[in-house]
Amino acid sequence: MGGLRPFTRFAMQTVSSTKRSWEFNDVTVTLSHERDASSGPRHPMAKGITLVYAQILPVMAIVSLFPAIPKLFQQFGNIPMARLLVPMIVTVPSLFVALTAPFAGVLADRFGRRRIFVWGITAYLIMGLVPILTERLGLIVASRAILGVAEACVITVSSALIGDYFVEKRHKWVSIVGIAITIAGMVLLAAGGALADISWRGPFTIYLFVVPAVIMAWLYIDEPPVYEKSQIRGDDIAITPYPWRIASLIAAVTLLSSLLYYVMPLNFAAVLGQAGITSFTTIGLLQAASNLGYLCGAMVYRRIHSWHVTRLLALASLAMGAGMLVLSFSSTLKGVMVGAVIQQFGAGFVIPVLMAWGQALLPMTQRGRIMGIWVTSFFTGTFLCPPMITGLSALLGGLYPAIGAVGMAGLITALGAFALRERRNNTH
């Protein structure tokens, strides 16, 4: 009887139906959203806050631990393979997010969003607190791997639910995600440093701030009511084939965007070091200051979200490329900061644009899978960007020329996208 409850609750409500259609070759897909008369989710603000809260978990998993790395080496430096295992405490979650996000999306589409999300965020909280309870390095690394799997579930499903719950208002919430990530990054970086000064375990106590998100998830996150029908030649009903062509396009564009996106976060400290800045406190403050550009980009997106996705991504690529070029030709700290702020302005568009694009392209019952592919593609940039910059640095003779080369590629990509968009406009 438990399985009949969602249908029973749904049948007792007054509903309105909205239908949309997509065409994939000779298959027409009609998606019918059945919602109550209030035309929106119950407790929309609480749902939105919970989902935005969930989106900052990757920042918590990585950024808050950056200042603790020296302390972790002091604690575990005498253990065999410490030079391999200690950095893995920071990087392993992202690796397992990239590996498991598509599977999380498949599970969410097949078995429902809620159970994957609430159990995922609960597991994230538990695994995040494990290092407070043990000094066994192997166990800590293993807990971080499981945390990555939980994070994949949470990020994938929360990305899908933003589209499920808010439909045409999703642009508002994905822009809030960009703003929240920026603010959380600055706050968690400072908090992680302060807590690392107390103890190597200090930054892990930040995971206690996930408790409110877990409570809100169990209280407010529910299944979005949806029915999908696939019609072929009139009245024949068939299961909708998964549009791999669209999924592949989203994956490719997301991966290329993430490579431009991660250049500055992963290399900014090294750039400042070459500019003569050696104080970790100063580096942290300057990195936080450059994030103001990211904040501005996310806020501007809210104003222009109705632009075509090609124009939005071209603008992002243009700003990121221009910022990296300015930085690569700068010989002063002021020039470096100007370039970083411009690059971060473009980066502020990337997550909201890609997330909203992926949410809009596919029907609701396929959205979990596409968000899983999106998450994997974006996190893969974390691993591909460092060897890309290392290889270009060796080939071109330094970090600055390497960043300049990526910046030029960004500009060329932007100009190509603008030209493609104008050509399509002229042909219609």
Side-chain angles (χ1 to χ4, degrees):
M1 291 295 292
L4 297 177
R5 288 176 187 169
F7 178 79
T8 304
R9 183 174 65 250
F10 166 77
M12 293 174 63
Q13 294 174 343
T14 303
V15 299
S16 60
S17 175
T18 352
K19 292 186 178 180
R20 298 191 177 191
S21 297
W22 291 264
E23 292 187 1
F24 304 112
N25 299 326
D26 60 340
V27 181
T28 300
V29 179
T30 302
L31 174 67
S32 174
H33 299 270
E34 304 288 350
R35 296 189 180 276
D36 59 32
S38 62
S39 68
R42 296 178 60 199
H43 310 295
M45 184 60 69
K47 282 180 166 62
I49 292 172
T50 304
L51 298 177
V52 171
Y53 206 149
Q55 289 287 323
I56 70 173
L57 298 187
V59 182
M60 185 177 293
I62 299 174
V63 173
S64 62
L65 294 183
F66 279 155
I69 292 176
K71 282 272 190 175
L72 292 170
F73 271 114
Q74 290 177 13
Q75 176 68 25
F76 299 110
N78 295 328
I79 295 176
M81 301 182 66
R83 297 200 66 82
L84 172 66
L85 294 175
V86 168
M88 288 177 65
I89 295 175
V90 178
T91 59
V92 156
S94 295
L95 174 62
F96 275 81
V97 169
L99 291 175
T100 61
F103 302 103
V106 171
L107 292 173
D109 282 344
R110 180 159 187 175
F111 300 108
R113 311 275 199 253
R114 185 179 189 274
R115 67 179 69 179
I116 304 298
F117 183 80
V118 297
W119 285 110
I121 199 168
T122 302
Y124 182 92
L125 169 62
I126 295 169
M127 291 299 107
L129 295 174
V130 165
I132 298 177
L133 307 175
T134 182
E135 293 186 359
R136 295 174 58 184
L137 182 57
L139 184 57
I140 291 174
V141 172
S143 72
R144 301 292 290 172
I146 299 172
L147 181 138
V149 176
E151 185 179 322
C153 295
V154 173
I155 298 302
T156 300
V157 177
S158 63
S159 299
L161 283 173
I162 289 173
D164 294 348
Y165 286 150
F166 301 109
V167 195
E168 298 303 325
K169 293 183 179 180
R170 65 181 179 273
H171 300 287
K172 167 189 171 182
W173 287 102
V174 296
S175 66
I176 293 174
V177 167
I179 294 169
I181 287 173
T182 307
I183 296 173
M186 292 187 289
V187 172
L188 290 171
L189 192 63
L195 291 168
D197 285 337
I198 299 172
S199 167
W200 68 269
R201 286 192 171 101
F204 294 100
T205 62
I206 290 175
Y207 286 92
L208 291 170
F209 287 98
V210 182
V211 171
V214 172
I215 295 172
M216 293 179 71
W218 283 95
L219 289 177
Y220 297 115
I221 298 301
D222 51 25
E223 291 294 342
V226 58
Y227 292 87
E228 181 188 27
K229 292 181 180 179
S230 180
Q231 297 177 340
I232 302 177
R233 298 189 184 96
D235 297 328
D236 293 335
I237 298 176
I239 298 173
T240 307
Y242 190 70
W244 286 107
R245 183 179 300 177
I246 295 175
S248 299
L249 174 64
I250 292 173
V253 172
T254 299
L255 178 58
L256 292 174
S257 300
S258 71
L259 290 174
L260 294 174
Y261 178 94
Y262 279 117
V263 168
M264 288 308 299
L266 296 177
N267 295 280
F268 193 58
V271 168
L272 291 176
Q274 293 192 15
I277 306 299
T278 57
S279 166
F280 291 113
T281 301
T282 303
I283 289 173
L285 290 173
L286 291 174
Q287 191 154 16
S290 71
N291 284 343
L292 293 176
Y294 191 108
L295 186 63
C296 291
M299 295 177 71
V300 169
Y301 167 78
R302 293 189 68 175
R303 299 287 185 181
I304 62 173
H305 67 79
S306 59
W307 287 14
H308 192 275
V309 65
T310 305
R311 291 182 66 192
L312 290 169
L313 288 175
L315 177 60
S317 183
L318 180 67
M320 288 190 290
M324 284 185 274
L325 276 176
V326 169
L327 185 149
S328 68
F329 286 105
S330 298
S331 57
T332 65
L333 177 60
K334 183 181 294 186
V336 168
M337 288 303 298
V338 169
V341 170
I342 296 172
Q343 194 274 348
Q344 286 292 287
F345 175 79
F349 284 84
V350 172
I351 290 179
V353 171
L354 292 174
M355 188 183 294
W357 182 42
Q359 291 167 348
L361 279 182
L362 295 182
M364 189 181 293
T365 52
Q366 294 180 340
R367 195 171 284 152
R369 279 172 284 179
I370 197 61
M371 286 293 100
I373 291 171
W374 176 81
V375 170
T376 289
S377 301
F378 195 80
F379 274 79
T380 299
T382 310
F383 303 100
L384 294 184
C385 187
M388 177 185 73
I389 293 296
T390 300
L392 287 173
S393 297
L395 182 65
L396 301 175
L399 178 60
Y400 277 63
I403 292 176
V406 179
M408 182 61 69
L411 286 181
I412 293 171
T413 302
L415 294 175
F418 277 127
L420 177 63
R421 182 60 186 163
E422 288 303 314
R423 181 179 178 182
R424 287 182 175 178
N425 287 340
N426 293 333
T427 56
H428 290 288

